[in-house]
């Protein structure tokens, strides 16, 4: 049996790319929102050890980052369970531009912060990712759940209509 490597082992750029890919899948599946994606992706790019990556994915199901020197079954053991249904590539109703913006904005934030921190550009550049974030948020509506809110509204309206009809039927039965 192969031992699980120590969480103190250093990670490679390929491990970070694998982690960013896995995190993107969690965002498109709706497990995390775009702000959390930005926060976690910044932590991934700053991570140095496997333990740091494991901590970032601790509250998320598979997929997890893959390590190039360890078989996947050893790197991230999963509990024995029925396979989960395949998640769609993006939330239902998302257009290609929305998916692009959702993936692009965190990268712009990271690049902007890095350029400002190194002194390559002036701090006013921070207005670019702020503007892109506002634009991206407008593509999804408040909180990115506009489509689901509409579905809930329709379902609630139908439920109220059914209750009214039931009440009317009961009143008719009492009147006769």
């Amino acid at each position: 049996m192969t031992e699980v490597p120590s969480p103190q082992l250093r990670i490679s750029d390929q491990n970070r790319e694998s982690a960013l890919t896995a995190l993107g899948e969690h965002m498109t599946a709706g497990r995390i929102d775009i702000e959390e994606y930005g926060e976690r992706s910044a932590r991934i790019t700053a991570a140095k050890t496997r333990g740091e990556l494991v901590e970032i994915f601790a509250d998320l199901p598979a997929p997890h980052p893959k390590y190039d020197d360890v078989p996947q079954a050893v790197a991230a053991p999963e509990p024995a369970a029925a396979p989960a249904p395949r998640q769609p590539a993006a939330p239902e109703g998302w257009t290609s531009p929305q998916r692009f913006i959702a993936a692009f904005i965190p990268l712009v934030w990271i690049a902007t912060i890095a350029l400002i921190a190194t002194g390559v550009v002036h701090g006013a550049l921070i207005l670019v990712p702020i503007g892109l974030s506002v634009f991206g948020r407008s593509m999804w509506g408040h909180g990115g759940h506009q489509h689901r809110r509409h579905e809930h509204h329709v379902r609630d309206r139908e439920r109220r209509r059914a209750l009214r009809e039931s009440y009317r039927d009961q009143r008719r039965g009492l009147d006769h």
Side-chain angles (χ1 to χ4, degrees), residues 44-67:
I44 288 170
T45 57
K48 293 185 172 132
T49 65
R50 290 179 186 207
E52 290 172 86
L53 285 184
V54 168
E55 184 179 309
I56 294 168
F57 287 85
D59 62 337
L60 295 170
H64 290 150
K66 294 184 175 111
Y67 300 103

Side-chain angles (χ1 to χ4, degrees), residues 111-132:
T112 303
I113 291 169
L115 289 172
I116 291 171
T118 58
V120 173
V121 296
H122 190 270
L125 183 66
I126 198 73
L127 297 175
V128 172
I130 290 172
L132 280 174

Side-chain angles (χ1 to χ4, degrees), residues 4-25:
V4 175
S6 167
Q8 286 81 27
L9 284 178
R10 301 284 233 168
I11 57 173
S12 67
D13 287 343
Q14 185 177 3
N15 299 140
R16 286 184 195 89
E17 289 175 18
S18 171
L20 288 169
T21 300
L23 192 65
E25 289 183 39

